[in-house]
Every structure is written in C-alpha cells, then in structure tokens.
Amino acid sequence: MPELPEVETVRRSLNRLVRGKRFESLCVFYPPMSRVPEALLQKTLKHKTLEDISRRGKTLLFAFEDERLLVHLRMEGKFHLRTLAHERTKHEHWMMAFTDDTALWYHDVRKFGTLDLRRADTVFETQPLSRLGPEPDDPSLDVDYLRRRMRSERTVKAVLLDQSVIAGIGNIYADEILFCAGIDPNRPAKRLKRTQCEKLLACTRDILKEAVALGGASVHTYRDTLGIDGRFQTRLKVHLRAGKPCPVCHEAIEKIRVAGRGTYRCRRCQH
C-alpha cells in the first residue's frame, strides 16, 4: 500500500500542485532512501522545469526535461506541498524546493520509500522499470499473455502480486480481483482454465478502473497528496472483512495466508 489506484491518484494531485515549477534544490535528510548521491541530484536537476509527473506501475516519474526522478512510495509514502519556511517534522525524509519558495516534502513513517534518477531515453530500459509487466489497460495484456504467465507452480495470488506479470497490483486489489473472478487465491495458477483467465483479466481491469475513479482505497494510513481519503474502501468486498458476511452468499469471510500475505476470501464463492 499504496497500489496502482492510489499512486495514480497521487500523480494526478501532484500534477495539479507542482507541474510547471522550476527546480531549485533537493535535501535528503535520510540518505539510505536515495539511490543516488544528493549532490548528483542537485547538479543534474538544477534550474530544470518539472514538465510532468507520470506513473509506471507503482512508481512515479518526475519529468525534468531530459531527466526522470523516480519515486516509489512503498508502504506509507506521501507528499505535502509547503513553504520553504516549513519546519521539518520527524517523518519528513526529503524535500524538493522550487524557485517560487514552495517545497514538496516527502513523508514516510517506515522509511521504505526510494528516490532514484534516470535519463529519459533509458528509463524504461533499465531497472527497476525494465522488470515491470504490462499495465492493466495495455493491449498487450490479453488472455493469451495471461495464460502463458499462469503456467506456474505458484498460487494465482502470487502470480498476480508479481510485478513482472502485471504492473501495479498489490495485496488489496489482488484479493478483490480474485473474489470478483470467483477464484481461490490458493489455487495453483497452472490449473486455471481459459475462461477463468478471461474472467480474471476482466475483473482486473474493471476493479482498477473503478478504484482509480474513486481515488483509491484509504486503508491504514494512506491519504492522497491533498489529504483526501480514497473512497474505494467503501466498495471492498473481502479485503479486511474477516468474519463479516460475504456480500454474495453470506458465508463468513475468512483470513488466511497466501504468498506471505494476509489474504481474504470467501470459501464458498471462490474455487
């Protein structure tokens, strides 16, 4: 958390807040978070204009002319636009200042987020983005592709969580997608039939599209950049609903562990 819908919501909020601003400086207060030296960031981005913020999977790409600043929010990363006079708080670990005396502050309680730099012409050809599978709305993500990737000894949920298969799906949406498709998360992926892959693909696209439209799901500590709660959490059918009745058959939702993650399912509806 956050996953594709939440990161997309942050991207849209950030573009409204900072697109078109001119870079002045960047301070990294927790050095392990940055994969390139602060001095290199300063030198490379100095006086460049932030032209756009895009997204690939769960990674944000800040476009500074011919450079790309890659930001991964991991578990709890979030941004706040403040003035340069803002007094840094305990969990603000880097700050990007602009020439108009505003600054974008990165807040991350767990310190899991990362900061990286790539040239625009190589950003998709080098790690980490080169490892990612297609986006959910990519035409290359069709039933034949999904069937090939499901020829695995792993569980269906483990394959869905694999970012090299489909980019952007995490624990929350994997649970919801599998419930929508009527597939047990513990089912071996290689046992899925073509019709089940078709249903899985349709549910993936429908659920992520709805989640993006609703600003993602505000669970645990997530809020978007503008401090607005996502509304998709009101549509969750199984995730975080252990012991509550299934919205289809009224059987109690159970929590199990699959692929190392807490997993929610309806034993009766998912096979």
Side-chain angles (χ1 to χ4, degrees), residues 218-234:
S218 295
V219 299
H220 305 306
T221 59
Y222 170 74
R223 279 187 174 85
D224 92 324
T225 304
L226 299 177
I228 300 170
D229 289 327
R231 290 169 288 146
F232 189 75
Q233 74 272 12
T234 64

Side-chain angles (χ1 to χ4, degrees), residues 56-57 59 61 70 118 122-134 145 149 162-165 167:
R56 181 71 171 96
T59 300
L61 290 82
L70 277 59
R118 293 287 186 279
T122 63
V123 66
F124 297 114
E125 300 168 6
T126 56
Q127 294 187 14
L129 301 188
S130 62
R131 297 194 303 249
L132 296 179
Y145 168 85
R149 298 306 304 263
D162 185 342
Q163 299 301 294
S164 73
V165 177

Side-chain angles (χ1 to χ4, degrees), residues 25-248:
S25 62
L26 191 145
C27 296
V28 180
F29 306 109
Y30 182 66
M33 191 166 280
S34 181
R35 294 178 173 172
V36 290
E38 179 182 316
L40 179 60
L41 292 171
Q42 296 274 23
K43 178 181 177 181
T44 305
L45 301 179
K46 188 70 172 178
H47 299 317
K48 291 188 176 180
T49 299
L50 177 53
E51 297 176 340
D52 187 43
I53 300 169
S54 59
R55 178 192 56 76
R56 181 71 171 96
K58 303 177 188 179
T59 300
L60 292 167
L61 290 82
F62 290 66
F64 287 95
E65 301 175 17
D66 54 352
E67 303 290 340
R68 298 294 180 267
L69 188 68
L70 277 59
V71 178
H72 201 301
L73 304 176
R74 300 297 177 185
M75 294 292 289
E76 296 184 2
K78 58 179 68 70
F79 288 101
H80 300 289
L81 185 66
R82 308 189 190 280
T83 66
L84 278 178
H86 167 72
E87 185 175 345
R88 176 185 169 238
T89 63
K90 177 181 178 181
H91 298 300
E92 288 175 326
H93 302 303
W94 59 267
M95 177 272 289
M96 185 192 307
F98 302 102
T99 55
D100 65 353
D101 293 330
T102 63
L104 198 60
W105 292 77
Y106 179 75
H107 182 282
D108 190 340
V109 174
R110 299 195 183 188
K111 300 182 181 178
F112 288 165
T114 59
L115 187 64
D116 210 340
L117 187 68
R118 293 287 186 279
R119 286 191 55 82
D121 56 359
T122 63
V123 66
F124 297 114
E125 300 168 6
T126 56
Q127 294 187 14
L129 301 188
S130 62
R131 297 194 303 249
L132 296 179
E135 295 283 317
D137 59 354
D138 190 322
S140 70
L141 176 56
D142 57 18
V143 175
D144 290 333
Y145 168 85
L146 193 57
R147 290 196 77 194
R148 288 195 302 272
R149 298 306 304 263
M150 286 292 173
R151 291 170 188 161
S152 170
E153 299 291 336
R154 296 182 295 171
T155 64
V156 178
K157 180 167 183 179
V159 175
L160 274 184
L161 292 175
D162 185 342
Q163 299 301 294
S164 73
V165 177
I166 304 175
I169 299 174
N171 201 40
I172 297 171
Y173 295 102
D175 284 352
E176 294 300 306
I177 289 165
L178 288 168
F179 177 76
C180 168
I183 298 171
D184 191 317
N186 243 334
R187 187 183 180 91
K190 65 181 182 180
R191 288 176 51 194
L192 288 189
K193 299 177 181 178
R194 183 180 183 88
T195 54
Q196 290 175 308
C197 286
E198 290 173 346
K199 180 67 172 176
L200 188 63
L201 182 54
C203 286
T204 296
R205 287 178 167 149
D206 289 347
I207 285 175
L208 292 178
K209 182 179 179 180
E210 181 184 12
V212 168
L214 293 173
S218 295
V219 299
H220 305 306
T221 59
Y222 170 74
R223 279 187 174 85
D224 92 324
T225 304
L226 299 177
I228 300 170
D229 289 327
R231 290 169 288 146
F232 189 75
Q233 74 272 12
T234 64
R235 308 290 180 91
L236 295 175
K237 303 244 183 345
V238 290
H239 191 77
L240 298 181
R241 291 179 54 83
K244 296 181 180 179
C246 167
V248 175

